[in-house]
Amino acid sequence: MTKTKIDRSDREWRELLTPEEFRVGVKEGTERAFTPGNYESEKRPGLYHCKGCGTALWSSEHKFESGTGWPSYWQPASEGVVATKTDFKMIIPRTECHCATCGLHQGHVFKDGPPPTGERWCINGIVLEFRPTE
């Protein structure tokens, strides 16, 4: 099942998100490493949903300790829920990831993660809502 793409104006995003969520999610910022409540140390089983649209993007089954201060996953929760694009903000190109449904910026993916993918999806916890498995 393909979700309908959501397109919001900055005004609509500001009504939905806090100022910091807007800065990170819409303006493609980054929260500080080890920000309290960013889910970096969350250990319970469950799914991490996009704050912009509720899509399940990340699973605790794919989460690992990267030591970076951000929640890290070796792959998205399911195929097609996360989209990527090239980011040139740091001069050296990086792969940015965002919610494929609403476009909310999630973080970046790097090629220094664990098996089986070798990828580290380094995600801003502020744009997530964790829903533990009951």
Side-chain angles (χ1 to χ4, degrees), residues 8-121:
R8 292 191 174 102
S9 67
D10 278 5
R11 185 172 149 248
E12 290 171 312
W13 278 118
R14 287 184 193 278
E15 291 172 2
L16 181 68
L17 305 172
T18 68
E20 183 64 1
E21 291 167 352
F22 180 84
R23 183 188 73 77
V24 172
V26 178
K27 296 303 179 183
E28 300 175 344
T30 301
E31 69 186 349
R32 295 180 90 137
F34 301 102
T35 297
N38 80 347
Y39 303 119
E40 182 266 338
S41 59
E42 177 62 62
K43 305 283 191 239
R44 295 175 294 169
L47 292 171
Y48 298 81
H49 296 254
C50 176
K51 269 201 179 158
C53 65
T55 300
L57 301 177
W58 311 101
S59 171
S60 60
E61 293 178 21
H62 308 135
K63 193 168 188 264
F64 69 97
E65 293 289 330
S66 67
T68 62
W70 290 278
S72 297
Y73 309 85
W74 48 267
Q75 74 178 29
S78 58
E79 193 173 325
V81 295
V82 177
T84 61
K85 70 179 183 180
T86 302
D87 167 5
F88 293 97
K89 293 181 195 95
M90 302 288 284
I91 300 173
I92 297 170
R94 301 181 298 170
T95 303
E96 176 186 308
C97 61
H98 53 278
C99 174
T101 301
C102 71
L104 203 66
H105 171 73
Q106 295 291 303
H108 292 85
V109 60
F110 303 97
K111 297 289 185 189
D112 61 358
T117 64
E119 296 175 337
R120 173 174 53 96
W121 296 75

